Amino acid sequence: MMNENLAHPHTVKKFELVAGYVKDWIHKLMNNPYCKTVVFIDCMCNNGIYKDDNGAPVEGTPIRVARIIADAMKNYPSKKAVLYFNDNDSDKIAELQKHLPPATDNFRIHLTCKDGNDLLKTLKTLLLRLNDLHYLLFYDPYTASIDWEALAPYFFGWGEVILNHMVSDTKRAVAVATRPKTIDKYEQTYLTSIEELATLRGDKNAYDKLIKDIIERLGNLTKHEYYLAAFPFFIKTNAQIYSIIFFTKNVKGFKLFKTTAWNIFGGKSSNQNTHGREIHQSLFETPGEDKQCYHVCDIADYIVQEFAGRKDVSKQEIWALVDKHPVFPTDGYKKDITDELKRMGRCKVKQSTVDFAQR
């Protein structure tokens, strides 16, 4: 029987982001001669079947990803793909199994029913010791609940992590948490005492920063350059419900993830409704306000500020700067950014260089 899970618009966007990234990710890796096997892990996968706000059926992340990878692997018979889907509800796993593509010689799906963190602890020894294997872990808890003991090893191997930080849960409940189990959940997630968390007074940006700080500390321990991107997701009332945080050591994957996110949001950095204010959004912001939805005009403004007063700046240098930004894309947006630089009138765009005016 079809599960009656609801997939609101922001949830559908999450499905599209992960599946959209995998669609290009799988080919980039399979065309890499050093990568022999790819692994995708969704350790909290649900049953993959939902209904949208209009009652129409919607496929979730595991079904979309499985179909994408199964189809791609037909082109790479000498390489392998292994998918791990887990949920702690056996009925959900039984339903999911009905909608997955069949196994082939080089495509396998492992279904398990246990605590997702236990699965990660089991898999880490297998995945982290193989040099010709690349993994993508999707960590998607239903609440603000992160087990860093289980998750941390995946920041050290040759792979990538997509983490859903359910910030709405923390904002709503941390100040009134009294049960020891609930308090332990938040303290474990943020590695911070409940008293300190309460002093943040529901500041979603502060909670996001705590998660990013933990990931950055782990990244610094790897002794490799790493990249961290984050995109907020909003419900219809424009309240942020969660952030999708992406970690990788590969700049190509970093660039691809940012471009994928902007594409699924329709050429901007989130699904927040800016009510048409994006062209002159700075006029509507209060001093110190943290912008939650960026547009191409913000990328152009960032470039102008960073290179103010310089002449003959190569476009290659400009794109290299933006490539490292945690939100702004370049691939697929260079023409739009260049057109916006011309429109602003604060620089002179030439064929291969740009002259920037003084501030």
Side-chain angles (χ1 to χ4, degrees):
M1 180 176 179
M2 181 179 291
N3 188 288
E4 296 295 327
N5 290 335
L6 285 177
H8 297 298
H10 63 270
T11 305
V12 177
K13 288 296 182 187
K14 178 180 67 175
F15 299 158
E16 292 174 353
L17 174 57
V18 177
Y21 180 69
V22 169
K23 187 175 182 179
D24 289 319
W25 170 83
I26 183 65
H27 290 287
K28 286 182 180 294
L29 287 174
M30 291 291 88
N31 286 314
N32 183 333
Y34 298 102
C35 180
K36 305 300 182 184
T37 304
V38 292
V39 174
F40 180 86
I41 309 166
D42 185 344
C43 58
M44 303 161 184
C45 67
N46 211 314
N47 69 5
I49 295 295
Y50 300 79
K51 288 186 177 180
D52 66 16
D53 287 352
N54 298 316
V58 177
E59 294 179 339
T61 302
I63 298 174
R64 295 180 188 222
V65 168
R67 186 177 296 124
I68 289 168
I69 296 180
D71 186 60
M73 294 309 295
K74 297 174 184 176
N75 301 308
Y76 309 101
S78 65
K79 298 192 176 185
K80 296 181 180 179
V82 183
L83 283 59
Y84 292 89
F85 294 138
N86 175 82
D87 196 277
N88 59 10
D89 187 327
S90 59
D91 289 338
K92 291 180 179 179
I93 291 298
E95 179 64 30
L96 174 61
Q97 188 171 20
K98 301 175 186 177
H99 306 278
L100 298 174
T104 65
D105 289 342
N106 68 339
F107 172 80
R108 291 283 189 273
I109 298 176
H110 296 277
L111 298 175
T112 52
C113 179
K114 60 175 70 175
D115 181 278
N117 296 304
D118 290 341
L119 174 66
L120 296 186
K121 292 173 183 177
T122 301
L123 289 178
K124 68 179 182 181
T125 302
L126 170 66
L127 300 183
L128 303 184
R129 64 184 176 84
L130 299 176
N131 294 325
D132 59 357
L133 178 150
H134 191 105
Y135 57 84
L136 175 60
L137 166 61
F138 182 36
Y139 193 91
D140 189 19
Y142 307 126
T143 66
S145 180
I146 300 174
D147 184 339
W148 291 107
E149 181 185 354
L151 188 57
Y154 292 84
F155 294 97
F156 292 86
W158 189 243
E160 299 169 341
V161 178
I162 300 175
L163 167 65
N164 183 353
H165 172 216
M166 190 64 72
V167 67
S168 58
D169 172 29
T170 311
K171 181 179 179 181
R172 179 183 65 251
V174 73
V176 295
T178 56
R179 295 174 56 194
K181 185 176 181 180
T182 304
I183 292 172
D184 182 65
K185 179 188 80 169
Y186 290 122
E187 290 186 333
Q188 177 178 261
T189 294
Y190 297 100
L191 303 183
T192 303
S193 71
I194 195 69
E195 292 80 12
E196 291 182 66
L197 291 173
T199 65
L200 299 178
R201 301 183 182 277
D203 184 346
K204 62 183 183 301
N205 297 316
Y207 298 134
D208 261 345
K209 186 176 185 303
L210 287 173
I211 298 298
K212 293 175 189 175
D213 287 347
I214 294 169
I215 295 174
E216 287 181 349
R217 290 199 296 271
L218 292 170
N220 290 334
L221 292 174
T222 67
K223 299 181 181 179
H224 292 283
E225 187 171 14
Y226 66 91
Y227 306 90
L228 192 63
F231 293 91
F233 283 65
F234 297 83
I235 59 177
K236 289 182 178 180
T237 60
N238 255 2
Q240 183 181 348
I241 186 166
Y242 49 74
S243 293
I244 296 296
I245 301 173
F246 176 71
F247 173 93
T248 183
K249 299 172 190 172
N250 188 314
V251 68
K252 292 182 179 179
F254 181 61
K255 292 166 61 178
L256 174 60
F257 192 84
K258 292 189 294 180
T259 294
T260 304
W262 278 63
N263 287 345
I264 70 110
F265 289 132
K268 54 183 182 175
S269 72
S270 78
N271 65 327
Q272 184 187 48
N273 188 347
T274 55
H275 302 286
R277 302 185 306 185
E278 55 268 19
I279 299 303
H280 301 290
Q281 192 172 355
S282 60
L283 298 176
F284 296 86
E285 294 171 351
T286 57
E289 183 180 13
D290 183 51
K291 188 180 291 188
Q292 296 290 293
C293 188
Y294 293 95
H295 300 78
V296 170
C297 57
D298 296 298
I299 305 176
D301 186 63
Y302 169 72
I303 292 170
V304 167
Q305 292 188 46
E306 289 294 315
F307 292 104
R310 288 186 55 185
K311 293 186 177 181
D312 291 323
V313 180
S314 70
K315 289 183 179 179
Q316 184 177 2
E317 182 179 354
I318 294 171
W319 303 139
L321 171 74
V322 181
D323 281 343
K324 294 188 176 182
H325 192 278
V327 177
F328 296 158
T330 53
D331 291 349
Y333 287 85
K334 290 179 181 178
K335 184 180 184 304
D336 294 331
I337 297 168
T338 301
D339 289 345
E340 182 63 24
L341 287 171
K342 294 175 181 177
R343 188 199 66 80
M344 293 171 66
R346 294 162 62 187
C347 58
K348 183 179 180 180
V349 180
K350 296 179 283 189
Q351 184 174 352
S352 58
T353 63
V354 181
D355 292 341
F356 293 91
Q358 296 285 349
R359 290 182 183 177

